[in-house]
Amino acid sequence: QVQLVESGGGLVQAGGSLRLSCAASGRTFSSYVMGWFRQAPGKEREFVAAMRWGGGNTWYADSVKGRFTISRDNAKNTVYLQMDSLKPEDTAVYYCAAVYLRGAVVSDPLRYDYWGQGTQVTVSS
């Protein structure tokens, strides 16, 4: 059974940092793209960042480029989202997701096969 479990959310002041973690289990993800999405109240779920678990490509939304970094630790089967220079508009529930690499459209949440439960990130001004 595939499980993606996010952690690391919380309350932070604008300009601060948080690191989200996504612990993955239940299958081998080497042929998957791991993505981070977020959803603010009243808004659609939006793409934040993604990377090939096997290494190489990374993708970022323009709104987070230069501030957020996606990475992974193979030994821990964990994907991270380092978030720096946080802004109030980054406030949302953040979700980890996985999609099979072949034919993946990394920015489209409807294409993803597996999802975590989400973790709340709140940035105060």
Side-chain angles (χ1 to χ4, degrees):
Q1 180 181 357
V2 173
Q3 276 197 314
L4 302 176
V5 181
E6 302 98 334
S7 61
L11 173 64
V12 64
Q13 288 189 331
S17 298
L18 282 174
R19 188 178 79 159
L20 304 184
S21 300
C22 172
S25 62
R27 71 167 305 127
T28 301
F29 288 94
S30 57
S31 298
Y32 278 72
V33 168
M34 304 301 293
W36 285 98
F37 289 80
R38 66 188 181 187
Q39 189 165 17
K43 294 189 176 181
E44 293 187 351
R45 192 165 298 190
E46 66 171 357
F47 170 73
V48 175
M51 70 177 300
R52 291 182 57 177
W53 188 283
N57 304 77
T58 58
W59 300 268
Y60 294 94
D62 288 343
S63 59
V64 307
K65 208 170 288 184
R67 299 189 298 121
F68 291 10
T69 305
I70 189 170
S71 63
R72 78 197 186 290
D73 183 329
N74 285 335
K76 295 183 178 180
N77 233 33
T78 299
V79 177
Y80 302 100
L81 184 68
Q82 177 67 40
M83 306 187 295
D84 299 319
S85 303
L86 282 161
K87 305 175 182 180
E89 51 263 43
D90 295 318
T91 295
V93 177
Y94 283 71
Y95 297 90
C96 175
V99 61
Y100 188 65
L101 175 61
R102 179 167 293 184
V105 179
V106 300
S107 62
D108 184 356
L110 296 178
R111 299 295 188 102
Y112 280 72
D113 302 307
Y114 305 107
W115 289 88
Q117 82 287 351
T119 185
Q120 176 71 46
V121 171
T122 303
V123 184
S124 63
S125 58

